[in-house]
Amino acid sequence: MIANSTLAGRTLLMSGGSRGIGLSIGIAAGRLGANVVLLAKTDTPNPRLPGTVHTAAQAIQDAGGQALAVVGDVREEADVQRAVDEAVARFGGIDFCVNNASALAPLKTEELPVKRFDLMQQIQLRGTFLLTRAAIPHLRRSPHPHILSLSPPVNLSPRWLGLHPAYTMAKYGMTLLTLGWAAELAEAGIAANALWPRTLIATAAVQNLLGGDESMQRARSPEVMADAAMAVLRRSPRDCTGQAFIDEDVLRAEGVTDFSGYGGGSDVLLDLYVDP
């Protein structure tokens, strides 16, 4: 982990975060002294997806941070506003808005139920818009404001456009919103960047939907994304904005050369939208 105390006392608001990459980001931020507010639906355990917003908050506190669990749906404007209001009431403001929540259904058009199409657009696009929109007034008052969306660089290769168009649109939409905010909010000094893994990340989504045990063995741990996220959030907002970062590139710029500690072996699998 890249150790630095510049997140001490700052408040991070994140959608999701009960498990996987989001949880790792929350724990890493807590380890650096941040207050972490999680807005997630997982109030009770799911046999297939261990972890709830409450266990995540406890893990963040165990890492040294302060945490607030807010049970709610990022698609619902009232729930989002409640999370923002509770974050401000508890911690006095918001410094970081992390758009982590996402629905995964990488299916061909004729295979994709309309219900799943709607879910992806609502979580990735509506949810990202609602959370960021509600956070902006408080980000304007922060001395170190960042928006960070976990979404990929916009790769217009026909390979990626044609693989699963609906999921691709939802994820690229997150990135386009984020890059739009970088331009829109530049004069306010609010940074907005996207971050995406170079490799598959060992999460429940990979286990259940993207290859099972074989893919998990060739995937890096979520901590690689967490470390990259901390590196981005530590940077000056005016000097680090309008970028769609890859985690490995961020960490190499921080001086990291050995990625073996993140797992995946010598033959790691590249993530979606990342060309060799």
Side-chain angles (χ1 to χ4, degrees), residues 7 12 96 98 144 146-148 228-235:
L7 301 194
L12 184 153
F96 310 121
V98 178
H144 195 84
H146 278 262
I147 298 163
L148 184 66
M230 295 306 101
V232 171
L233 295 180
R234 291 200 324 261
R235 295 175 180 176

Side-chain angles (χ1 to χ4, degrees), residues 76 109 143 187-188 191 195 211:
E76 297 295 332
T109 300
E187 290 188 4
L195 178 66

Side-chain angles (χ1 to χ4, degrees), residues 108-148:
K108 297 291 187 183
T109 300
E110 293 170 289
E111 300 168 352
L112 180 68
V114 173
K115 183 176 180 179
R116 296 293 293 175
F117 173 89
D118 289 343
L119 181 67
M120 289 192 293
Q121 311 314 315
Q122 289 167 4
I123 293 179
Q124 273 94 301
L125 297 180
R126 178 181 170 87
T128 294
F129 178 80
L130 286 177
L131 191 72
T132 304
R133 181 179 183 273
I136 286 173
H138 304 285
L139 293 173
R140 289 185 184 277
R141 293 191 282 272
S142 168
H144 195 84
H146 278 262
I147 298 163
L148 184 66

Side-chain angles (χ1 to χ4, degrees), residues 45-50:
N46 181 321
R48 295 182 68 244
L49 297 171

Side-chain angles (χ1 to χ4, degrees), residues 48-49 203-212 216:
R48 295 182 68 244
L49 297 171
T203 64
V206 169
Q207 177 71 55
N208 296 331
L209 298 172
L210 293 178
M216 290 288 280

Side-chain angles (χ1 to χ4, degrees), residues 207-257:
Q207 177 71 55
N208 296 331
L209 298 172
L210 293 178
D213 292 340
E214 181 179 353
S215 291
M216 290 288 280
Q217 293 171 3
R218 297 173 62 190
R220 287 177 176 163
S221 71
E223 283 72 25
V224 67
M225 278 288 283
D227 285 350
M230 295 306 101
V232 171
L233 295 180
R234 291 200 324 261
R235 295 175 180 176
S236 165
R238 292 192 178 275
D239 297 333
C240 177
T241 188
Q243 302 295 314
F245 290 114
I246 296 294
D247 60 349
E248 186 173 310
D249 296 338
V250 170
L251 293 176
R252 287 190 184 280
E254 297 286 328
V256 177
T257 57

